[in-house]
Amino acid sequence: MTATFFFIQVLNGLQFGLILFLIAAGLTLVFGVMDFINLAHGVQYMVGAYLVAAFSAWTGSFGWGLLLALPSALAFGLLLEALIFRHLYDRDHLDQVLATFGVILFLNQAVKFVWGAAPLSVPMPEILSGSVEIMDGLLYPVYRLAIIGAGLLVAALLYVLVSHTRVGMLVRAGATNAPMVSALGVNIRRLFMIVFGFGAMLAGFAGAMVAPILSVQPGMGDNILILAFVVIVIGGIGSIRGAFLAALLIGLVDTLGRSFAPNLLRLVLDPSAASQTGRALAPMLIYIFMAAVLFFRPSGLFPAKR
């Protein structure tokens, strides 16, 4: 174990955490403002990856593919909201869970029908290929640094949007007391539509950004959706600040746990047992961390004020 390897894993954890934040930010707004449980939010992540793969192949450029994928992901999210989700807002949570789970199954099959079941690859953009030397002996992929930079930029823009604009004021008010906002003359359905579409676009952006480093395949959003729910539970439902901090913590805990848990266990166990126990324990660390946070702060780190 070297300092260079540790720093690389920290950067990997930050990158993973910021991808989680892009997904969880939209999810926590939808849940916090609309009280709507959307299990199909991970599908938007998958659709974003497929859209950038399709548009990149069509235009021959990842940049143009990304620019076309973002409004397409927004339009797709608004279409789902108009056709399906808005009819579920007044239903109980069990109905929402069942209906959105059905959407997951349908869209996973739909992408197989359109693009096939085989994984797709998206070429790395030429300008962001290669590695850069961060410090002596430490080379890190430029594209992964670009993901970190894009995630931080989106987080900053979200902070300005939510904290310093009229739309952000309405979103925060809606997360606190949606009936009162509606009583004051705000079109709450339009607010719901804006929040849902924006959340869908953020998830699509996350999928588009990871497409060049991961395989684009059906069901790719299912597992990461679970982690996104962990993020909003730890951060506090409806809190962008909480989602940001929790996503970074989850990214670091997961990445560092998988990298160093076996080595740390070798201090107390023999190498074979340490390796097996470490591999089994590492995926559990984020849930242990969630349980610890909820034990001390049942509403999360930064719950939206009610």
Side-chain angles (χ1 to χ4, degrees), residues 198-245:
F198 190 69
M201 186 175 66
L202 286 177
F205 178 60
M209 290 300 293
V210 302
I213 59 176
L214 297 177
S215 295
V216 179
Q217 57 190 341
M220 63 182 292
D222 297 348
N223 290 333
I224 203 164
L225 176 69
I226 298 173
L227 297 180
F229 271 109
V230 171
V231 166
I232 68 172
V233 168
I234 291 176
I237 294 172
S239 171
I240 291 293
R241 178 177 59 163
F244 179 73
L245 179 59

Side-chain angles (χ1 to χ4, degrees), residues 28 32-33 172 175-176 235-240 299-306:
T28 196
V33 175
R172 286 183 282 117
T176 303
I237 294 172
S239 171
I240 291 293
S299 298
L301 296 175
F302 298 101
K305 296 181 180 179
R306 298 289 180 177

Side-chain angles (χ1 to χ4, degrees), residues 57-68:
W58 179 47
T59 62
S61 166
F62 176 79
W64 281 111
L66 181 62
L67 289 176
L68 291 171

Side-chain angles (χ1 to χ4, degrees), residues 161-162 164-173 191 194-195:
L161 178 66
V162 172
H164 300 286
T165 67
R166 173 176 168 78
V167 172
M169 178 191 68
L170 293 176
V171 168
R172 286 183 282 117
L191 178 64
I194 292 172
V195 169

Side-chain angles (χ1 to χ4, degrees), residues 123-136:
M124 186 77 67
E126 185 72 26
I127 193 172
L128 298 176
S129 61
S131 302
V132 62
E133 187 173 15
I134 299 178
M135 60 177 64
D136 290 341

Side-chain angles (χ1 to χ4, degrees), residues 23 39-47 49-50 104 108 215 217-228:
I23 301 170
L39 295 186
H41 193 73
V43 170
Q44 298 289 346
Y45 168 83
M46 176 187 69
V47 168
Y50 270 103
I104 293 175
N108 280 340
S215 295
Q217 57 190 341
M220 63 182 292
D222 297 348
N223 290 333
I224 203 164
L225 176 69
I226 298 173
L227 297 180

